Amino acid sequence: MTAAEKHQAGRNPAAVPQPPAGRCPQPRGGGRLSGRAGIRDVAAAAGVSITTVSDALNGKGRLPDTTRSHVREVAERLGYRPSAAARTLRTGKSGLIGLTVTTYGEEPFTFTEFPYFAEMARAATSTALARGYALVILPAPARRGVAGLSGRPGHSGPSGPDVWSNVALDGTIVVDPSEKDPIVTELVRSGMPVVSDGKPGESLPVAAWVDNDHEAAVRRILDHLAESGARRIGLLTGTSTDTYTRVSTAAYLDWCRRVGQDPVYERYPAHDPCAGAVAADRLLARPDRPDAVYGLFDPNGTDLLAAARRYGLRVPEDLLLVCCSESASYATTAPPITTLSLKPGRIGTTVVQLLIDAIEGSSPPRPVQQVMPTELLVRTSSQRAGARTTVSPPRAPAAE
Amino acid sequence: MTAAEKHQAGRNPAAVPQPPAGRCPQPRGGGRLSGRAGIRDVAAAAGVSITTVSDALNGKGRLPDTTRSHVREVAERLGYRPSAAARTLRTGKSGLIGLTVTTYGEEPFTFTEFPYFAEMARAATSTALARGYALVILPAPARRGVAGLSGRPGHSGPSGPDVWSNVALDGTIVVDPSEKDPIVTELVRSGMPVVSDGKPGESLPVAAWVDNDHEAAVRRILDHLAESGARRIGLLTGTSTDTYTRVSTAAYLDWCRRVGQDPVYERYPAHDPCAGAVAADRLLARPDRPDAVYGLFDPNGTDLLAAARRYGLRVPEDLLLVCCSESASYATTAPPITTLSLKPGRIGTTVVQLLIDAIEGSSPPRPVQQVMPTELLVRTSSQRAGARTTVSPPRAPAAE
DNA sequence: TTGAAAGCGCTAACAC
DNA sequence: GTGTTAGCGCTTTCAA
């Protein structure tokens, strides 16, 4: 009996030694994917063992080229497609990496609409594919305990069944983890490589992180506004505890202390678009109204412009404006608004590279960190004199 | 010996009946994921069998609530996370759906930059998650034969290793399949549910498809331009054979025939941004220069505007302009440009719903089709008289 | 109501 | 150089 015949026979209950009792040996359970050929079918058709098939197709083992090409031919003829699930189970590698934003917890899944996230995710997807991985965007996992213990059948949150327990991830990218993010802790503890976009809190043992130097960026913007003649600079900031918000706000307060200005700021839940407009209004309605404002979030430029209009303030004559945004449309508002770009594309690329390095290599004991530059696009809204409109001129960071 | 003891013992080779020969029964191969608890560990700790654990966690079987909650408690205490890979292998469902654009074949993976695709993918991702699926964006599979036969080790194309063979998909969304797309055929033949964005060619046996009524949209735009005083309307179109390009171009030619105008159009490879600018230039350089142009692709508005400027043509006085775009920035160009929105968000949502229906239900014999409305945003560039700037007024389709 | 065991399709260790 | 076999972790069938 040749190997081929053996494998052929393996499909035929009658020709095989019976199991201990009179159990029925025909396929049950998950039930074979009816039409498709499996590795055994290929082996049988090619007259070799399944090992040889596996080796031939994966370029492993020490097979003569004749065998290899023969097997490949047969596989192709049968339309054989290896089962990714089986390979994943066997090797422990799925080739899938997750991307998630935990900051807003149970909030509905709207963050993909933010230009920053959209661009970051786009770059991350491309980079992952270029390295042979696919990227999966996932909502923040369910809050309590072992997320989605109940698997697909269960439902665990406003956004439907918990997907986390249904996808095998080789690693995860977490965007803007909060200070001591329980989700990140849980992920890391379960042995998953995690890389964060946004410097994580001290206690978060991520494998690596990427971030902008938000401190320097804020300093630079405030200096820029001061140079343009601002006497009292206000800040529109958020209530959440992610790095970006924390560091930027701290940098603002620090700058104020240094130059001897009283801080003038309003905080609002950044994920709520309406709250932004209200906060912008509040800021300009204050008795100690600032004559320049930096808004930490993308829509702040529009909101502040609208609020300024309501209060009869001209931009930039009465109010200087800068906001952090990835939207090109601020180049064409009236007046065009100066923005700080965090370069999310680069961040997405870098964060994926680091994650895959962590997955494939042995990760170093100390987390790898990488600081990415920002870009200040100076436009009309932040220049009182009709000065230059240069893009990110090389400039030393403000002296400390 | 209790069940718990048995399972405990199961980890101990000495206490278990030896296999036929003196084979070593200790775990080898894939090697257990060291730290993490498996279903057997939970069973042992809870003093039940793995069946009971499975049932308890999945809400199946007829277990008393006491058992169920006890098992859940133990599972949580051990930090048990079910293995998605194992579940997928067993059940045949991965909870993953693919999203791909085959049109441009081997082209580098830049299409995510198109606003249409970005918005469509965003909506698709959200919808998938809401229904308990995760969405994976994949590049067009390798051209020849059984895509990525060689799995992860192999490399098969300019964009790195072929990811297709490494992810288990329950179904796939194909954007803009070409007329008789071999990739779609291959996917469908392998038993994968496929839903297309863009009406597929007759011979493509997709489970469902979604599309705009491009014919009506083109007719409406041409009518609109004619009403604005256009005498000769040109078209900027593509060279690829996807539905959108084919149908739109055909509708244009048909309209020309009906009103007795000689067609004036230029074609270019739509994925090449430079080619667009050149084609726009060509169109306006023709001896039979049109006095109105409709551009089928997003960047055409900018390109045509630039070309018009080069030729000293004023918009809309000398040249009326409309393009198909999802970019809000056309609202603020000088002059603002009239655009047709295909509402990619709705399409993405719908296409996912249909795909999941196909995956979960028994798909009907005939493909489900769904036609989605478009939206014409009339702006300055297409109005010669200073008329209304209404958004998509209710309007009967042009009489045939 | 609970448990034993088969086996999803593949890879890797080892025997020949 | 090629084949046999265990087993990845789970779900499911069937027996008790």
Side-chain angles (χ1 to χ4, degrees), chain B:
Chain B
M1 187 189 239
T2 70
E5 284 161 350
K6 258 182 168 163
H7 281 98
Q8 198 90 53
R11 289 268 161 235
N12 174 5
V16 107
Q18 290 301 319
R23 294 211 177 288
C24 54
Q26 60 268 32
R28 308 176 289 178
R32 300 192 55 235
L33 280 61
S34 41
R36 283 180 48 189
I39 195 173
R40 288 199 265 270
D41 303 306
V42 177
V48 295
S49 75
I50 59 170
T51 311
T52 304
V53 174
S54 179
D55 285 349
L57 265 31
N58 291 325
K60 303 208 169 159
R62 308 138 307 200
L63 308 177
D65 282 354
T66 52
T67 310
R68 204 176 288 274
S69 58
H70 175 226
V71 169
R72 290 201 143 126
E73 207 167 273
V74 172
E76 183 146 350
R77 183 158 51 73
L78 297 185
Y80 168 72
R81 309 293 324 263
S83 151
R87 177 180 295 168
T88 298
L89 178 57
R90 185 59 232 240
T91 62
K93 315 248 108 241
S94 66
L96 247 38
I97 65 191
L99 175 60
T100 191
V101 180
T102 62
T103 317
Y104 306 130
E106 300 284 1
E107 292 303 315
F109 188 70
T110 54
F111 52 77
T112 37
E113 286 165 15
F114 298 164
Y116 174 90
F117 184 85
E119 173 61 10
M120 189 275 192
R122 198 199 58 70
T125 302
S126 297
T127 307
L129 287 172
R131 292 199 54 176
Y133 287 73
L135 185 133
V136 179
I137 293 177
L138 295 171
R143 268 274 181 260
R144 14 182 270 83
V146 183
L149 248 189
S150 47
R152 188 171 306 112
H155 290 239
S156 57
S159 39
D162 184 25
V163 193
W164 279 81
S165 52
N166 289 332
V167 289
L169 298 177
D170 289 346
T172 302
I173 293 162
V174 178
V175 180
D176 271 351
S178 55
E179 199 159 5
K180 31 186 68 180
D181 197 313
I183 290 166
V184 173
T185 312
E186 161 73 17
L187 287 174
V188 171
R189 225 192 25 184
S190 79
M192 172 117 60
V194 174
V195 171
S196 78
D197 168 9
K199 183 180 174 186
E202 289 300 329
S203 56
L204 290 184
V206 299
W209 58 265
V210 182
D211 207 342
N212 306 104
D213 188 346
H214 294 300
E215 218 161 275
V218 169
R219 273 203 307 265
R220 178 165 164 205
I221 288 164
L222 299 175
D223 285 343
H224 165 71
L225 287 170
E227 278 168 22
S228 294
R231 318 301 289 281
R232 181 158 51 215
I233 306 178
L235 182 77
L236 213 44
T237 180
T239 47
S240 56
T241 63
D242 57 291
T243 308
Y244 171 64
T245 308
R246 275 186 295 122
V247 170
S248 301
T249 308
Y252 167 79
L253 295 173
D254 186 58
W255 187 90
C256 287
R257 197 174 319 116
R258 242 181 40 236
V259 303
Q261 185 212 292
D262 284 339
V264 188
Y265 61 92
E266 293 288 341
R267 306 168 50 153
Y268 74 98
H271 50 86
D272 178 352
C274 297
V278 174
D281 215 272
R282 260 198 335 257
L283 188 59
L284 298 189
R286 292 172 63 129
D288 55 344
R289 171 158 65 204
D291 60 352
V293 177
Y294 174 46
L296 285 187
F297 303 105
D298 204 296
N300 291 166
T302 312
D303 293 340
L304 284 164
L305 208 52
R309 207 166 285 136
R310 276 196 295 280
Y311 289 101
L313 301 170
R314 293 163 306 163
V315 175
E317 290 82 357
D318 305 320
L319 183 71
L320 296 165
L321 234 51
V322 178
C323 77
C324 182
S325 165
E326 307 305 329
S327 167
S329 65
Y330 281 125
T332 55
T333 49
I337 294 179
T338 298
T339 56
L340 176 77
S341 166
L342 304 179
K343 298 297 203 168
R346 284 202 215 175
I347 298 219
T349 299
T350 310
V351 93
V352 167
Q353 299 287 16
L354 289 174
L355 178 58
I356 297 179
D357 289 347
I359 291 169
E360 295 183 346
S362 51
S363 50
R366 296 189 52 77
V368 179
Q369 41 189 283
Q370 201 145 332
V371 175
M372 310 296 288
T374 57
E375 183 180 28
L376 185 62
L377 296 144
V378 178
R379 301 200 184 96
T380 316
S381 74
S382 67
Q383 295 175 295
R384 214 151 266 168
R388 34 161 225 201
T389 314
T390 324
V391 170
S392 210
R395 183 180 182 286
E400 189 64 56

Side-chain angles (χ1 to χ4, degrees), chain A residues 66-353:
Chain A
T66 52
T67 311
R68 206 178 287 276
S69 58
H70 175 225
V71 170
R72 290 200 143 127
E73 209 167 273
V74 171
E76 183 148 348
R77 183 158 50 74
L78 296 186
Y80 168 72
R81 308 295 324 266
S83 151
R87 176 181 296 168
T88 298
L89 178 58
R90 183 63 233 237
T91 61
K93 248 97 236 338
S94 67
L96 246 39
I97 66 190
L99 175 60
T100 190
V101 180
T102 62
T103 317
Y104 307 131
E106 299 283 1
E107 291 303 316
F109 186 72
T110 53
F111 51 76
T112 37
E113 285 164 15
F114 298 164
Y116 174 90
F117 184 86
E119 173 61 11
M120 188 273 193
R122 197 198 60 71
T125 302
S126 297
T127 307
L129 286 172
R131 290 198 57 176
Y133 286 74
L135 185 133
V136 178
I137 293 177
L138 295 171
R143 268 274 181 262
R144 19 185 261 83
V146 182
L149 247 189
S150 47
R152 188 172 307 114
H155 290 239
S156 57
S159 40
D162 183 26
V163 193
W164 279 80
S165 53
N166 289 332
V167 289
L169 297 177
D170 288 347
T172 303
I173 294 163
V174 178
V175 180
D176 271 350
S178 55
E179 198 161 5
K180 32 186 67 181
D181 199 313
I183 289 166
V184 172
T185 312
E186 160 73 17
L187 287 173
V188 171
R189 224 190 26 182
S190 80
M192 171 116 61
V194 174
V195 171
S196 78
D197 168 8
K199 183 179 173 185
E202 289 300 330
S203 56
L204 290 185
V206 299
W209 58 264
V210 182
D211 207 342
N212 305 105
D213 188 346
H214 294 300
E215 217 161 275
V218 168
R219 272 203 307 267
R220 176 163 164 206
I221 288 164
L222 298 175
D223 286 342
H224 166 70
L225 287 171
E227 278 170 22
S228 295
R231 318 302 290 283
R232 180 157 54 213
I233 306 178
L235 183 77
L236 213 44
T237 180
T239 47
S240 55
T241 62
D242 57 290
T243 307
Y244 171 62
T245 308
R246 274 188 294 122
V247 170
S248 301
T249 308
Y252 167 78
L253 294 173
D254 187 59
W255 187 90
C256 286
R257 197 175 318 117
R258 240 180 42 236
V259 304
Q261 186 211 293
D262 285 338
V264 188
Y265 62 93
E266 294 287 342
R267 306 169 49 155
Y268 75 97
H271 51 87
D272 177 352
C274 297
V278 174
D281 214 273
R282 259 199 335 258
L283 189 59
L284 298 189
R286 292 173 63 131
D288 56 343
R289 171 157 66 206
D291 61 351
V293 177
Y294 175 45
L296 286 187
F297 303 105
D298 204 296
N300 291 165
T302 311
D303 293 340
L304 284 164
L305 208 52
R309 208 166 284 137
R310 276 197 293 282
Y311 288 101
L313 301 171
R314 294 163 305 166
V315 176
E317 290 82 358
D318 305 318
L319 184 71
L320 296 164
L321 235 52
V322 178
C323 77
C324 181
S325 165
E326 308 305 329
S327 167
S329 65
Y330 281 124
T332 56
T333 49
I337 294 180
T338 297
T339 55
L340 177 78
S341 167
L342 304 179
K343 298 295 202 170
R346 284 203 215 174
I347 298 219
T349 298
T350 310
V351 94
V352 167
Q353 299 286 17

